[in-house]
Amino acid sequence: MVTWNNLDTLAAFSKLIQLKDCVNIARAMTGENGAARVKKYSAPMAAGLHFNYAAKQVNDDVLAVLAELAKETQAIDKYKELLSGAVINTGEKRLVLHQLARGQQCDAVIADGVDKREFYVSQQKKIAAFAKKVHAGEITNEAGEPYTTVVQIGIGGSDLGPRAIYLALENWARVHDTLKMEAKFISNVDPDDAAAVLQSVDIAHTLFIVVSKSGTTLETLTNETFVKNAIKNAGLEVSKHMLAVTSETSPLAKGADYMAAFFMDDYIGGRYSSSSAVGGAVLSLAFGPEVFADILDGAAETDKLSLNENILENAALLDALIGVYERNVQNYQCTAVLPYSQALSRFPAHLQQLDMESNGKSVNRRGEPIHYATGPVIFGEPGTNGQHSFYQLLHQGTDITPLQFIGFKNSQIGMDVTIQGSTSQQKLCANVVAQIVAFACGKDDSDNNKKFEGGRPSSIIIGDQLTPAALGALLAHFENKVMFQGFIWNLNSFDQEGVQLGKILAKRVLAHETDGALKEYSDLLDI
Amino acid sequence: MVTWNNLDTLAAFSKLIQLKDCVNIARAMTGENGAARVKKYSAPMAAGLHFNYAAKQVNDDVLAVLAELAKETQAIDKYKELLSGAVINTGEKRLVLHQLARGQQCDAVIADGVDKREFYVSQQKKIAAFAKKVHAGEITNEAGEPYTTVVQIGIGGSDLGPRAIYLALENWARVHDTLKMEAKFISNVDPDDAAAVLQSVDIAHTLFIVVSKSGTTLETLTNETFVKNAIKNAGLEVSKHMLAVTSETSPLAKGADYMAAFFMDDYIGGRYSSSSAVGGAVLSLAFGPEVFADILDGAAETDKLSLNENILENAALLDALIGVYERNVQNYQCTAVLPYSQALSRFPAHLQQLDMESNGKSVNRRGEPIHYATGPVIFGEPGTNGQHSFYQLLHQGTDITPLQFIGFKNSQIGMDVTIQGSTSQQKLCANVVAQIVAFACGKDDSDNNKKFEGGRPSSIIIGDQLTPAALGALLAHFENKVMFQGFIWNLNSFDQEGVQLGKILAKRVLAHETDGALKEYSDLLDI
């Protein structure tokens, strides 16, 4: 039986606080000592990736206390409870089963009278069969013609994860001749979002997937109607162009307008739902079900590695622990995610939701206020773009921001050019390497304006190429990191009560049931 | 003559510190008091926009001291010196003239023997004439066919601002029948960026603009060669497909491969260059020169309003002062930019560069280390998307993040749908209004998990519609805000020495002149 305690009551945390500033990164990363750290401070990940944390503010002493913290918080035991179907989401009194959607690491989970692994697999099979028929031209539009485009209508977790994954693998799929359909996304209730996407597609050859677990998401239902109108106005049949991904109990599940409905359930939160039908339908249609299966396999391999009690061989847990050290001992408020891969252009936006919505909380699992910092602000853009943008502040600003780099040895498309003795891919990799060392070691200069303090911690995840399996591994790495941090901070990482108040007030505004500031603002915006 | 002093030496700043937490936003924004604040705390902006700061942590006492701070820092005098051609960029010993590219607010500026306003106008005219010929089919490709697409090759300021503006106005231009050419952008040295863009365009009908002030930017020169190879491989002539935007002294200025070259100069920094030929060429080709002129007019109107000594009528200065109060008195580290407009999807990324690269500094204008916080971390995504993502942390996280909302009464495309008695546009506006009040006032609840502390400050910029003039006004508002904050923090906001070290180390990696950690990392990435 695990016990849940606040971070500031733990013996290991008291020890950790004593280790504040005990590592001078600039000194540690200089010379042969630095070389030795790069070799030593590396943990294996799934799909051939590695998590290198040499430039983090750790040494063997810090790591030893982090191992104690992992043990004292029973991080692995809690993970096993989660995998086995415990009610980890205490706020909503729900199981947390997104890992089960991609593999079974522990006992079978029976809930609502069914084996949940079988349920998730059955939905995957249903989606795969449907996608294959669409690709084979067996399922067609009114005119008997094949579909060429798929549009996901969803917001938050029904948008950010699937969109980031689609963009990450679109070029890879093109090269590997497995881009079956182009995918687009409508998310915002701003009517210009749906209108612009509709103008960019050929509706007659498009499948729209309405994605809402509850079937009550304002933006998604509104955009569904928006799209249905457009389908009708084009003289087409809605039921030849619409699919639903929802829970079996939602109003959408019974909709007569859908060609097919694929199911998720209440045990997979939006931001964790890329592994469920939410990601499965659009990605299987876009890339084929085999590619989606490869993503899940990379994620499942990560889930398995995340069970390792040895923090030095458990990259997700180690990453989580170092993050807690940075947040609660070093008092850093933000984390920048910096993938040196244009394909990962929207991956930071996905992680922003994953992390900030999971751990941006001020009460513990029992609803008691806590008195230590929790989830950081997450932001980021791909390198090398970011170097020409906000890196100035990261290098010379007045606050320190820990950095999470991601880099791959090879590009996806493989089209490249050699200039001044190096390819673009080599230049890309040279830049990420250079940045790690520049941030860590800095540079002295007699002109203060050209001086770099250094001491700015970073880690890097390195892979051969951004493949479906590597992407699945990345996805699960960060999901599991966030989960472990929630355990350590004693949070419920799986609800999001902070989004409710805005919804309630927006309804009041639309019903014109306002007074005070709310009414004045409404007038200013002509509502 | 102005004097430059550190913030922590100023009498007004000492007073301001005494006013920490003097406003309880939740209380101030509740009831009739809140309604009165919304009416009162509003400043006019250019192009019909308004800056409403009712939900900021200010009252008349704070505003009075902020006015003293503006006076003591001689913010307006410094702005006038900048406009008149003083060497405000002390690090690089340069004038700062981006405002002059869109209008002349003060004296004529003569530099390098020319009237700089005339120089900028001459380039605008040259671009306009060229664009009109392209649109009229007078300038054509090898086969005598018109160009349909323009691709900007640039990074940082040559990419983020122009790209954000293009995306902001693409749908508006389509509706107003002034989308002359589709625009795309290549920025990253990642070869997959250029390869993917090239695969998505018809090279035979595409104009590529190489944009680099110095003509030495690694990424841009590499991508130029990448594109030139593709043009040649398609059996086409490079000189029929390439333009340059650069300074007159750069190697690119003399390139024989360009159909035309348009010039900027050293007095406009990359992140401020959207108003110069950097934005002018691509936007005039995409939308027509009249639209670009409208953007500049909106910006110039802002520049004029920014001269007002009364902070209550000078939105950019007021926004800057409130930001300093939040950063240096309330100790908030980040600012989120949240436009309720899908068209502004990349505007936060532009502001991220503008702000973080300008004011992410730790030394003052004289190169002396300073001992107070400077530029914040800037991040953001469009609403309502962000509501379903990172707003959880903004509402209930352990740190407070000031918020900058932007909202418009009308959509751009005008295609809309009424559901449950309201349009999508009304729902969008209702949501931003609801969020301001939710963040400010919070909500009590017996369940701590459903409790909202409130007290989270925000401002909102409100407009009728996102037009070219409104966008120009927004652009200049934030440029001038950042400029004023640089004055108050006693920074040089116009250099970026923090980007240099990474470049130097990357060159060493590519030359294999590495040892220690740099060599080990290089080996890990197979460089």
Side-chain angles (χ1 to χ4, degrees):
Chain A
M1 189 65 190
V2 298
T3 57
W4 299 89
N5 297 303
N6 283 358
L7 176 65
D8 54 5
T9 66
L10 304 179
F13 184 63
S14 300
K15 279 196 201 176
L16 201 59
I17 289 173
Q18 305 302 318
L19 296 177
K20 185 171 192 310
D21 294 325
C22 76
V23 178
N24 179 315
I25 301 177
R27 201 175 309 136
M29 287 299 286
T30 300
E32 284 314 303
N33 192 24
R37 280 175 68 95
V38 179
K39 280 187 206 160
K40 178 177 172 184
Y41 287 145
S42 173
M45 294 174 61
L49 303 177
H50 280 82
F51 173 68
N52 193 297
Y53 54 102
K56 282 290 191 188
Q57 214 159 353
V58 298
N59 59 16
D60 290 349
D61 294 340
V62 173
L63 291 168
V65 177
L66 291 179
E68 290 178 34
L69 183 60
K71 201 163 180 188
E72 191 175 1
T73 54
Q74 301 172 287
I76 299 296
D77 293 335
K78 287 171 183 168
Y79 176 38
K80 285 181 182 166
E81 288 217 347
L82 180 151
L83 291 173
S84 303
V87 181
I88 293 292
N89 180 350
T90 45
E92 298 173 312
K93 302 195 173 35
R94 289 175 181 168
L95 287 61
V96 173
L97 299 182
H98 54 276
Q99 284 106 339
L100 195 65
R102 53 210 189 205
Q104 186 163 317
Q105 308 299 339
C106 282
D107 311 327
V109 178
I110 312 295
D112 309 331
V114 299
D115 180 308
K116 295 306 295 186
R117 173 70 187 153
E118 282 179 19
F119 168 72
Y120 297 130
V121 170
S122 74
Q123 294 305 313
Q124 286 161 14
K125 286 184 180 164
K126 201 168 132 190
I127 290 169
F130 181 86
K132 282 190 175 295
K133 282 185 189 168
V134 170
H135 300 155
E138 294 167 28
I139 295 178
T140 63
N141 71 1
E142 303 88 335
E145 296 159 348
Y147 299 101
T148 58
T149 307
V150 55
V151 176
Q152 176 109 326
I153 305 172
I155 195 164
S158 301
D159 171 57
L160 292 165
R163 191 194 293 249
I165 295 171
Y166 175 75
L167 292 174
L169 296 176
E170 186 182 19
N171 290 321
W172 180 92
R174 200 169 268 129
V175 170
H176 290 80
D177 209 19
T178 187
L179 184 65
K180 311 287 185 184
M181 300 169 78
E182 193 184 8
K184 303 216 170 189
F185 297 83
I186 296 173
S187 54
N188 204 326
V189 79
D190 181 346
D192 286 343
D193 190 16
V197 171
L198 285 172
Q199 284 174 358
S200 76
V201 301
D202 169 16
I203 296 177
H205 300 95
T206 298
L207 281 173
F208 296 89
I209 313 178
V210 181
V211 186
S212 170
K213 184 163 69 178
S214 66
T216 63
T217 312
L218 170 85
E219 285 87 344
T220 302
L221 295 187
T222 303
N223 281 320
E224 179 188 13
T225 304
F226 202 106
V227 168
K228 279 183 176 173
N229 284 358
I231 294 171
K232 287 175 198 159
N233 290 342
L236 301 165
E237 293 169 42
V238 170
S239 65
K240 282 285 181 186
H241 294 277
M242 281 230 159
L243 309 171
V245 172
T246 189
S247 65
E248 288 174 294
T249 55
S250 111
L252 298 186
K254 296 170 263 313
D257 283 345
Y258 307 114
M259 288 176 76
F262 306 113
F263 298 119
M264 57 189 306
D265 61 27
D266 280 343
Y267 308 136
I268 299 186
R271 55 194 175 274
Y272 297 91
S273 67
S274 291
S275 302
S276 77
V278 172
V282 63
L283 296 169
S284 296
L285 283 164
F287 301 139
E290 295 81 3
V291 171
F292 183 64
D294 287 346
I295 297 171
L296 295 189
D297 287 349
E301 195 189 338
T302 297
D303 295 337
K304 193 173 177 187
L305 291 175
S306 300
L307 282 164
N308 199 316
E309 296 271 1
N310 180 351
I311 68 164
L312 302 182
E313 291 171 10
N314 184 333
L317 178 55
L318 182 58
D319 199 359
L321 289 160
I322 295 172
V324 169
Y325 174 74
E326 291 175 334
R327 188 82 174 101
N328 300 101
V329 178
Q330 296 299 137
N331 302 318
Y332 303 144
Q333 191 180 326
C334 304
T335 296
V337 181
L338 308 167
Y340 276 62
S341 161
Q342 189 64 23
L344 290 176
S345 61
R346 293 301 287 168
F347 197 65
H350 162 66
L351 294 189
Q352 192 173 53
Q353 176 188 24
L354 175 69
D355 203 322
M356 293 173 71
E357 198 169 33
S358 294
N359 290 337
K361 312 267 167 82
S362 300
V363 297
N364 69 14
R365 295 167 51 84
R366 286 185 297 271
E368 298 155 353
I370 49 174
H371 305 288
Y372 45 84
T374 59
V377 165
I378 304 288
F379 69 98
E381 292 285 336
T384 57
N385 294 359
Q387 292 178 201
H388 294 259
S389 169
F390 54 86
Y391 278 35
Q392 163 68 41
L393 183 145
L394 301 181
H395 278 290
Q396 294 188 318
T398 49
D399 296 300
I400 290 180
T401 296
L403 312 169
Q404 172 68 70
F405 291 104
I406 302 170
F408 301 95
K409 296 176 194 172
N410 301 297
S411 69
Q412 288 184 314
I413 301 179
M415 189 172 151
D416 209 336
V417 63
T418 298
I419 302 176
Q420 295 174 4
S422 60
T423 63
S424 289
Q425 183 64 27
Q426 286 169 325
K427 291 184 181 76
L428 181 69
C429 290
N431 271 279
V432 69
V433 163
Q435 290 295 335
I436 294 171
V437 174
F439 279 115
C441 299
K443 178 179 81 77
D444 204 7
D445 200 293
S446 57
D447 179 349
N448 281 322
N449 198 27
K450 298 183 178 182
K451 191 166 159 177
F452 295 74
E453 293 287 346
R456 305 196 172 211
S458 70
S459 58
I460 180 168
I461 292 172
I462 298 174
D464 281 339
Q465 192 187 39
L466 182 56
T467 60
L471 186 67
L474 275 180
L475 189 80
H477 172 84
F478 288 103
E479 287 180 4
N480 292 350
K481 171 189 172 179
V482 166
M483 169 193 74
F484 283 129
Q485 290 191 327
F487 293 162
I488 297 167
W489 282 322
N490 202 24
L491 304 176
N492 174 12
S493 304
F494 304 101
D495 66 354
Q496 54 283 322
E497 290 295 339
V499 308
Q500 296 303 331
L501 178 56
K503 288 187 195 175
I504 293 165
L505 294 183
K507 275 187 192 164
R508 277 176 41 194
V509 171
L510 289 170
H512 299 284
E513 294 166 359
T514 57
D515 56 12
L518 208 52
K519 180 168 186 329
E520 291 300 326
Y521 280 121
S522 300
D523 288 349
L524 288 179
L525 277 150
D526 278 356
I527 304 165
Chain B
M1 189 65 190
V2 299
T3 57
W4 299 91
N5 297 302
N6 283 359
L7 177 65
D8 53 4
T9 66
L10 304 179
F13 184 63
S14 301
K15 280 196 200 175
L16 201 61
I17 289 172
Q18 304 303 318
L19 296 176
K20 184 171 194 306
D21 293 325
C22 76
V23 178
N24 179 315
I25 301 177
R27 202 175 307 136
M29 288 298 287
T30 300
E32 283 315 303
N33 192 25
R37 281 176 67 96
V38 178
K39 281 186 204 157
K40 178 178 172 184
Y41 286 145
S42 172
M45 294 174 61
L49 303 176
H50 280 83
F51 173 69
N52 193 298
Y53 54 100
K56 282 290 191 187
Q57 214 158 354
V58 297
N59 58 16
D60 290 349
D61 294 341
V62 173
L63 291 169
V65 177
L66 292 179
E68 289 178 34
L69 184 60
K71 202 164 178 189
E72 191 175 2
T73 53
Q74 300 172 286
I76 299 297
D77 294 335
K78 287 171 184 169
Y79 175 39
K80 285 180 183 166
E81 288 217 348
L82 180 151
L83 291 173
S84 303
V87 180
I88 294 291
N89 180 349
T90 44
E92 298 172 314
K93 300 192 174 40
R94 289 177 181 167
L95 289 60
V96 174
L97 299 181
H98 53 277
Q99 284 106 340
L100 195 63
R102 52 210 187 203
Q104 186 164 315
Q105 308 298 341
C106 283
D107 312 327
V109 178
I110 313 295
D112 310 331
V114 300
D115 179 309
K116 295 306 295 186
R117 174 70 187 152
E118 282 179 20
F119 168 73
Y120 297 130
V121 171
S122 74
Q123 294 305 313
Q124 286 160 16
K125 286 184 179 165
K126 199 168 132 190
I127 290 168
F130 181 85
K132 282 192 175 293
K133 283 186 188 167
V134 170
H135 300 156
E138 293 167 29
I139 295 178
T140 62
N141 71 1
E142 302 87 335
E145 296 159 347
Y147 299 101
T148 58
T149 307
V150 53
V151 176
Q152 176 109 326
I153 305 172
I155 194 163
S158 301
D159 170 59
L160 292 165
R163 192 195 294 248
I165 295 171
Y166 175 76
L167 293 174
L169 296 176
E170 186 182 21
N171 291 321
W172 180 92
R174 198 170 270 128
V175 170
H176 291 79
D177 208 19
T178 186
L179 186 64
K180 312 287 185 183
M181 300 170 77
E182 192 183 11
K184 303 216 171 189
F185 297 83
I186 296 173
S187 54
N188 204 327
V189 77
D190 180 346
D192 287 343
D193 189 17
V197 172
L198 285 172
Q199 284 174 359
S200 76
V201 301
D202 169 15
I203 297 177
H205 299 96
T206 299
L207 281 173
F208 295 90
I209 313 178
V210 181
V211 186
S212 171
K213 183 164 68 178
S214 65
T216 62
T217 312
L218 169 85
E219 285 88 344
T220 302
L221 295 186
T222 303
N223 281 323
E224 181 188 11
T225 304
F226 202 106
V227 167
K228 279 184 178 173
N229 283 358
I231 295 171
K232 287 176 198 158
N233 290 343
L236 300 165
E237 292 168 42
V238 169
S239 65
K240 283 283 180 186
H241 295 276
M242 281 230 160
L243 310 171
V245 171
T246 188
S247 66
E248 289 174 293
T249 54
S250 109
L252 298 185
K254 298 171 259 316
D257 283 345
Y258 306 115
M259 286 176 77
F262 306 114
F263 299 119
M264 56 188 306
D265 61 27
D266 280 342
Y267 308 136
I268 299 186
R271 55 195 175 274
Y272 296 92
S273 67
S274 292
S275 302
S276 78
V278 171
V282 63
L283 296 170
S284 296
L285 283 164
F287 301 139
E290 295 81 3
V291 171
F292 183 63
D294 287 346
I295 297 171
L296 295 189
D297 286 349
E301 196 189 338
T302 297
D303 295 337
K304 195 174 176 187
L305 291 176
S306 300
L307 281 163
N308 200 316
E309 295 271 0
N310 180 351
I311 67 165
L312 302 182
E313 291 171 10
N314 185 334
L317 177 55
L318 182 57
D319 199 359
L321 289 161
I322 295 172
V324 169
Y325 175 74
E326 291 174 336
R327 189 81 174 102
N328 300 101
V329 178
Q330 296 299 136
N331 302 317
Y332 304 143
Q333 192 180 327
C334 305
T335 295
V337 181
L338 308 166
Y340 276 61
S341 162
Q342 189 64 24
L344 291 176
S345 61
R346 293 301 287 169
F347 196 65
H350 163 65
L351 294 189
Q352 192 173 53
Q353 176 188 26
L354 175 69
D355 204 322
M356 293 173 72
E357 197 169 33
S358 294
N359 290 337
K361 313 268 167 81
S362 300
V363 298
N364 69 13
R365 292 167 54 83
R366 287 186 295 271
E368 298 154 354
I370 50 174
H371 304 289
Y372 45 85
T374 59
V377 165
I378 304 287
F379 69 98
E381 291 285 335
T384 57
N385 293 359
Q387 292 178 201
H388 294 259
S389 169
F390 53 86
Y391 278 35
Q392 163 67 41
L393 182 144
L394 301 181
H395 278 290
Q396 295 188 318
T398 49
D399 296 300
I400 289 180
T401 296
L403 312 169
Q404 172 68 69
F405 291 105
I406 301 170
F408 301 95
K409 296 175 194 172
N410 301 297
S411 69
Q412 289 184 315
I413 300 179
M415 189 172 152
D416 209 336
V417 64
T418 297
I419 301 175
Q420 295 173 5
S422 60
T423 63
S424 289
Q425 183 64 27
Q426 287 169 325
K427 289 184 181 77
L428 181 69
C429 289
N431 271 279
V432 70
V433 163
Q435 290 295 334
I436 294 172
V437 174
F439 279 116
C441 299
K443 178 179 81 78
D444 203 9
D445 200 295
S446 57
D447 179 349
N448 281 321
N449 198 26
K450 298 182 178 182
K451 191 167 160 177
F452 293 75
E453 293 286 346
R456 305 197 172 209
S458 69
S459 58
I460 179 168
I461 293 172
I462 298 174
D464 281 339
Q465 191 187 39
L466 182 56
T467 61
L471 186 67
L474 277 180
L475 190 79
H477 172 84
F478 288 103
E479 287 180 4
N480 293 351
K481 171 189 172 179
V482 166
M483 170 193 74
F484 283 130
Q485 291 191 326
F487 292 162
I488 297 166
W489 282 322
N490 201 23
L491 304 175
N492 175 13
S493 304
F494 303 101
D495 67 354
Q496 54 282 323
E497 289 295 339
V499 308
Q500 297 304 330
L501 179 57
K503 289 186 194 175
I504 293 165
L505 294 183
K507 274 187 194 165
R508 276 175 44 193
V509 172
L510 289 170
H512 299 283
E513 292 166 0
T514 57
D515 56 12
L518 208 52
K519 181 171 187 326
E520 291 300 327
Y521 280 121
S522 300
D523 289 349
L524 288 179
L525 276 150
D526 278 356
I527 306 167

